[in-house]
Amino acid sequence: GAVVSQHPSWVICKSGTSVKIECRSLDFQATTMFWYRQFPKQSLMLMATSNEGSKATYEQGVEKDKFLINHASLTLSTLTVTSAHPEDSSFYICSARNQLAGVSEQFFGPGTRLTVL
Amino acid sequence: AQSVAQPEDQVNVAEGNPLTVKCTYSVSGNPYLFWYVQYPNRGLQFLLKYITGDNLVKGSYGFEAEFNKSQTSFHLKKPSALVSDSALYFCAVRDYDYKLSFGAGTTVTVRA
């Protein structure tokens, strides 16, 4: 139980295009999902908290218009990188909070490698 | 603000030897502490957590961690390391709103 998937696992796009990344909780409902960004050999940096049915809350320094987050259902959150540029290339990881798992654990997706040319 | 620190970028041990990955924390109130492992190009896998109770926490894959309040530490340990334990390890602390703050990570290399 408590499986989180991400799609796609990797994507290469041209500069200026938009890319959508999906995060799904497969066997539980997640009212809250989190989006992280990880640069090579570095730690995970929280970008935003995605709340089902409401607007996402972004961490300081994260551009809301650049990284659009939608959490339309209890099992799906999407991150859209708009007008992507090479500096947006990174590993994006989502996690979903399972409120039924005792102390509301977070379960992580496998990540999406974005490369912007 | 809650934070954790991992003082070592890298840890190298021989297979069969004990493995320790260090983590110290800074929190206001009771700490909710976690250890995760990450293999190349993969997401994070949960190893163990400390919420309350026994200071020695046992987790997945033979790992354990010792919570030490006086030293504000939560070191990850394994009595006998395997080559397959080579990976990137993260310590994390959970905030009241369930946000996780991660340490910088420690790369563990276990040589055969």
Side-chain angles (χ1 to χ4, degrees):
Chain A
V3 178
V4 176
S5 69
Q6 280 184 243
H7 178 80
S9 56
W10 61 269
V11 57
I12 302 173
C13 69
K14 293 181 179 180
S15 184
T17 60
S18 295
V19 175
K20 179 185 286 188
I21 302 170
E22 294 185 346
C23 178
R24 292 181 185 273
S25 56
L26 298 184
D27 50 3
F28 65 98
Q29 294 182 332
T31 56
T32 305
M33 292 184 174
F34 301 90
W35 287 95
Y36 297 85
R37 183 173 181 176
Q38 184 182 30
F39 290 104
K41 298 186 178 180
Q42 293 189 24
S43 188
L44 280 73
M45 299 300 296
L46 179 64
M47 298 174 65
T49 303
S50 171
N51 301 296
E52 187 269 336
S54 64
K55 291 183 178 181
T57 54
Y58 291 79
E59 296 300 301
Q60 192 172 8
V62 178
E63 298 177 59
K64 300 178 182 182
D65 296 331
K66 174 78 173 175
F67 299 99
L68 300 179
I69 292 173
N70 183 277
H71 195 155
S73 78
L74 287 172
T75 59
L76 174 65
S77 175
T78 59
L79 168 68
T80 301
V81 183
T82 62
S83 187
H85 291 282
E87 57 265 30
D88 299 323
S89 298
S90 190
F91 195 52
Y92 293 87
I93 302 175
C94 73
S95 70
R97 179 183 155 201
N98 186 348
Q99 292 162 267
L100 298 179
V103 289
S104 300
E105 297 299 344
Q106 286 186 39
F107 295 89
F108 287 81
T112 296
R113 172 76 58 192
L114 170 62
T115 302
V116 184
L117 302 178
Chain B
Q2 322 273 56
S3 66
V4 290
Q6 294 179 242
E8 301 164 317
D9 292 336
Q10 289 194 342
V11 170
N12 299 307
V13 297
E15 189 173 34
N17 282 2
L19 169 63
T20 298
V21 187
K22 296 180 180 178
C23 173
T24 58
Y25 65 88
S26 174
V27 303
S28 54
N30 295 322
Y32 287 2
L33 298 164
F34 299 79
W35 275 103
Y36 292 89
V37 61
Q38 185 181 32
Y39 295 96
N41 295 311
R42 303 288 296 276
L44 272 64
Q45 295 180 29
F46 169 79
L47 285 178
L48 50 79
K49 67 186 179 190
Y50 173 82
I51 304 299
T52 186
D54 290 339
N55 290 340
L56 184 63
V57 180
K58 293 192 180 295
S60 306
Y61 313 118
F63 283 93
E64 58 188 27
E66 185 171 7
F67 173 72
N68 188 315
K69 188 173 183 178
S70 63
Q71 297 184 5
T72 62
S73 67
F74 188 56
H75 300 333
L76 180 70
K77 299 180 180 182
K78 186 169 184 179
S80 178
L82 301 172
V83 172
S84 58
D85 294 327
S86 299
L88 183 56
Y89 291 79
F90 290 104
C91 180
V93 61
R94 200 194 80 189
D95 210 335
Y96 68 93
D97 57 0
Y98 302 98
K99 294 180 181 179
L100 288 173
S101 296
F102 289 88
T106 299
T107 299
V108 170
T109 301
V110 182
R111 59 185 185 275

